[in-house]
Amino acid sequence: AFAFISPENVAKIMGTTPTAAIAEISTAPAAASFEIFAKALNTVTIHLCKMIAGDGEGAQRLLECNVTACTDEATAKKIAKSIICSSLVKTAMFGADANWGRILCAIGYTEGDFKVDTIDVYLSSSKGTVKVCEKGAGIPFSEEKAKEILLESEITLDVDMKQGEYSATAWGCDLTYDYVKINGDYRT
């Protein structure tokens, strides 16, 4: 049996997949001990994905996008990746702007069979949670509380599709002035 940390495992940094994030581990499955090993390996790989994503050039915030209640697993993964890779979402998170429209826009770019008019969006951090979108539309919320939440170094974007039983998670980082400066200053 094999466990992989691969480009398909949803760690996206500035819209690209780091080639250094590929590993392969092989072991012969031995019932219960293999299950314990697989669970531990999954915990480690998730931690590594978060570390890689949060270490993007100039990054200030680690972003985690959880898509739940989706029609199928492939669509849930595509939506999570689309949100995490969206330059507009990344810059909104850098600016501590609870711009739910940018999140829905990123969802709209995704191919798949889903409806937008059931989607709820929540933004959270260690400072709390704020619901910013219900049934695909903006709702009143405290901009002050949202900004307080989004100024933290780890932000979670929860997207409840309310259309099925499948979910996916993707990690990325914000898009900062430093990213532009770092990548604009060097020559290849």
Side-chain angles (χ1 to χ4, degrees):
F2 295 91
F4 296 94
I5 304 172
S6 71
E8 292 303 310
N9 276 11
V10 201
K12 289 290 184 178
I13 300 169
M14 302 305 170
T16 62
T17 303
T19 54
I22 301 172
E24 181 177 318
I25 298 172
S26 176
T27 183
S33 63
F34 179 73
E35 291 298 319
I36 293 168
F37 171 76
K39 189 173 182 176
L41 179 62
N42 188 56
T43 299
V44 170
T45 57
I46 288 172
H47 181 72
L48 290 172
C49 283
K50 288 180 177 183
M51 287 176 59
I52 291 167
D55 195 33
E57 294 167 326
Q60 293 183 0
R61 292 178 182 84
L62 170 65
L63 307 178
E64 176 173 298
C65 179
N66 300 306
V67 175
T68 58
C70 198
T71 54
D72 59 79
E73 186 177 20
T75 301
K77 286 180 178 180
K78 288 178 193 175
I79 291 170
K81 284 183 181 182
S82 183
I83 293 167
I84 256 345
C85 292
S86 166
S87 294
L88 291 175
V89 171
K90 289 171 168 286
T91 55
M93 295 301 102
F94 168 67
D97 178 13
N99 192 325
W100 60 270
R102 291 183 178 185
I103 296 168
L104 285 189
C105 182
I107 295 169
Y109 289 141
T110 308
E111 288 185 29
D113 186 23
F114 57 86
K115 299 176 280 184
V116 178
D117 63 355
T118 63
I119 299 172
D120 291 351
V121 177
Y122 301 83
L123 304 172
S124 60
S125 72
S126 62
K127 294 290 185 177
T129 300
V130 63
K131 185 176 189 179
V132 295
C133 174
E134 185 175 312
K135 296 182 181 176
I139 58 172
F141 62 89
S142 168
E143 288 282 347
E144 289 176 2
K145 181 64 177 172
K147 185 169 185 161
E148 178 186 4
I149 289 167
L150 296 177
L151 284 172
E152 293 299 297
S153 62
E154 294 187 15
I155 308 298
T156 302
L157 298 83
D158 287 312
V159 177
D160 184 352
M161 300 293 289
K162 295 186 179 177
Q163 298 172 44
E165 59 186 63
Y166 298 92
S167 62
T169 297
W171 296 276
C173 59
D174 59 351
L175 183 58
T176 67
Y177 299 125
D178 287 341
Y179 174 80
V180 175
K181 183 169 176 26
I182 290 165
N183 285 283
D185 282 348
Y186 70 83
R187 298 281 183 252
T188 55

